[in-house]
Amino acid sequence: MNSDCVQVLRRVAWTLIVAGLPTGMAMAASNNCAGLQPLPSTVEVGEGQQTIMHSPVAITRLAVGDPKIADVYLNGRDSYLLTGIAPGATSLMVWTACDKEPRQSMVFVQGKGPHSMVSSLLPPSEDPSLPSQVQTDIRFVEVSRTKLKEAGTSIFGKSGNFLFSSPGTAPLGTTVTPGNIGGVRPNIPLNNGMFNIGIGGGNVLGLINALEGSGFAYTLARPSLVALSGQSASFLAGGEVPIPVPSSGSDSITIQYKEFGIRLTLTPTIVGNDRIALKVAPEVSELDFTNGITVNDISVPALVVRRTDTSISLADGESFVISGLISTTNTTAVNKFPGLGDIPILGAFFRDSSIRREEKELLMIVTPHLVQPLAVNAKLPVLPGEPLRNYDPNWFRLYFLENGNYDQASSGLSQ
């Protein structure tokens, strides 16, 4: 049988196979791709525990950012097994045949204590001897980025009966009288917060000011609070700032105190089937001296506050983004000499320009857990800073050997 006959038989057989396939199977791939959803933004798994994740389409590749925190294994073609290795956070990426770019998610691995630390092997909701207790974890994350650009020119020139002065270059309190223009001395201050380039001699002096800067700020707060089901609890880590309050009709001043810091107020209620109804009000505040005021010669700082107050329902270990904010502010200012500042190229010597951009991203994430107390005489984990509790080096070690690296010695929950 020659090759042409073989090719004809193969085509006939393939036609019969395709004709016998159900219509649903023939359209499975396209339908599954159309229904492919993004991965959940966060996935939580306990240390030493595993969870199975399913995909409606075949998985081609898996990857995690830090294999020391979590590991992932392909389980068949359309599911994978996620294993918690050590407490921490890492990224998870999943590739499929439907998209060239991977779907991404953040994996949070929660630590666990030894079995001797648990007073009962039953879950709290199933142990009739213990009241139901809920531990609520709040993750507060704020990222702030700033960008600043400034460019300007200061020029002072005089000759005979002519004088030209840009803003800020004339000496304070200067007056010009007839015939005395040539006696005016320029006052162009150097700006130590910017780059300065000076040009001039004789009767003309020019100074170019230029600055470009950017900043980045990251804030993370993770307060946790345990409360009985149906009972309220509050938590504050911060302080109190004294606020002077003048009395009306007299010169006396009274002091009132305003709390600031990391505050958490919540009321958890177990409604059945390990479902938790949670009323939560987290707040993070800090002192702001730049926007403060002065009362009777006393400087009083302002407060920068981020707070939310809401009620949600979650299962044990589930997470919810209860509030979020993306804010962008652009500020532009141009000061110029009328007419001359509009001239192309040369107009740059007769104007000052500045651009300021601020970007903020804010997230508040809540995660409730059903918990139990530690067993009697259970071995507690290492407390934060315990290795440094009795740290007292001698003079020789302090002078020659101490390098200030306390990161490894000062263990804690955040480590």
Side-chain angles (χ1 to χ4, degrees), residues 71-397:
D71 205 351
V72 62
Y73 302 93
L74 189 62
N75 184 24
R77 297 182 57 192
D78 56 357
S79 64
Y80 54 93
L81 188 65
L82 187 63
T83 305
I85 305 298
T90 184
S91 59
L92 169 67
M93 292 186 291
V94 179
W95 284 265
T96 63
C98 295
D99 201 344
K100 296 181 180 180
E101 297 296 329
R103 295 180 297 157
Q104 301 187 25
S105 178
M106 287 297 298
V107 178
F108 294 94
V109 179
Q110 298 182 348
K112 66 175 183 178
H115 293 291
S116 63
M117 295 175 58
V118 183
S119 60
S120 174
L121 296 178
L122 293 175
S125 59
E126 299 177 8
D127 189 351
S129 64
L130 292 175
S132 298
Q133 300 172 93
V134 180
Q135 172 184 320
T136 304
D137 300 331
I138 299 289
R139 286 194 297 270
F140 171 91
V141 181
E142 182 181 21
V143 179
S144 178
R145 291 179 292 268
T146 59
K147 196 170 187 66
L148 173 66
K149 294 182 179 181
E150 295 183 4
T153 303
S154 299
I155 299 178
F156 187 97
K158 59 184 178 59
S159 177
N161 295 326
F162 173 78
L163 184 145
F164 180 86
S165 172
S166 60
T169 60
L172 185 63
T174 299
T175 59
V176 178
T177 59
N180 194 32
I181 290 181
V184 177
R185 303 185 61 182
N187 179 28
I188 303 182
L190 294 178
N191 191 336
N192 291 328
M194 304 177 66
F195 293 92
N196 303 276
I197 301 176
I199 305 173
N203 295 325
V204 179
L205 178 61
L207 193 67
I208 298 176
N209 307 117
L211 176 67
E212 181 175 352
S214 58
F216 174 81
Y218 178 81
T219 302
L220 171 64
R222 300 191 63 173
S224 296
L225 192 59
V226 178
L228 292 174
S229 176
Q231 301 294 320
S232 298
S234 61
F235 166 88
L236 173 64
E240 294 183 344
V241 56
I243 306 296
V245 180
S247 300
S248 74
S250 66
D251 296 333
S252 62
I253 296 178
T254 59
I255 301 298
Q256 296 182 358
Y257 289 88
K258 177 69 175 179
E259 296 178 342
F260 70 95
I262 301 172
R263 173 187 291 277
L264 176 60
T265 303
L266 59 89
T267 304
T269 303
I270 300 178
V271 296
N273 295 327
D274 293 339
R275 198 74 183 174
I276 303 171
L278 186 64
K279 180 174 177 57
V280 59
E283 177 182 318
V284 176
S285 59
E286 58 188 0
L287 301 180
D288 182 8
F289 290 91
T290 59
N291 295 319
I293 61 175
T294 301
V295 179
N296 290 350
D297 297 330
I298 301 175
S299 297
V300 181
L303 287 176
V304 178
V305 181
R306 306 82 149 181
R307 69 164 64 99
T308 187
D309 189 346
T310 184
S311 298
I312 54 176
S313 177
L314 303 94
D316 181 14
E318 289 184 341
S319 297
F320 214 113
V321 178
I322 58 175
S323 60
L325 169 68
I326 297 178
S327 174
T328 302
T329 303
N330 290 323
T331 304
T332 302
V334 177
N335 299 315
K336 61 183 179 180
F337 187 90
L340 295 179
D342 298 326
I343 301 176
I345 307 299
L346 295 179
F349 296 101
F350 302 96
R351 64 174 178 260
D352 295 331
S353 305
S354 64
I355 298 176
R356 184 178 183 87
R357 179 181 179 91
E358 296 183 3
E359 296 179 351
K360 287 186 178 181
E361 298 180 21
L362 173 65
L363 284 179
M364 290 187 183
I365 307 172
V366 61
T367 306
H369 300 279
L370 297 174
V371 295
Q372 299 181 30
L374 301 180
V376 178
N377 298 324
K379 183 180 179 181
L380 297 176
V382 178
L383 299 179
E386 186 68 18
L388 294 176
R389 183 166 61 91
N390 297 321
Y391 178 73
D392 187 15
N394 56 35
W395 185 91
F396 177 84
R397 175 180 177 82

Side-chain angles (χ1 to χ4, degrees), residues 31-104:
N31 291 340
N32 288 344
C33 287
L36 184 62
Q37 299 294 328
L39 290 177
S41 58
T42 60
V43 178
E44 292 194 1
V45 61
E47 180 184 1
Q49 298 181 358
Q50 296 177 322
T51 181
I52 298 179
M53 309 290 290
H54 297 278
S55 174
V57 297
I59 300 172
T60 59
R61 183 184 172 190
L62 297 168
V64 291
D66 190 349
K68 295 181 180 180
I69 295 179
D71 205 351
V72 62
Y73 302 93
L74 189 62
N75 184 24
R77 297 182 57 192
D78 56 357
S79 64
Y80 54 93
L81 188 65
L82 187 63
T83 305
I85 305 298
T90 184
S91 59
L92 169 67
M93 292 186 291
V94 179
W95 284 265
T96 63
C98 295
D99 201 344
K100 296 181 180 180
E101 297 296 329
R103 295 180 297 157
Q104 301 187 25

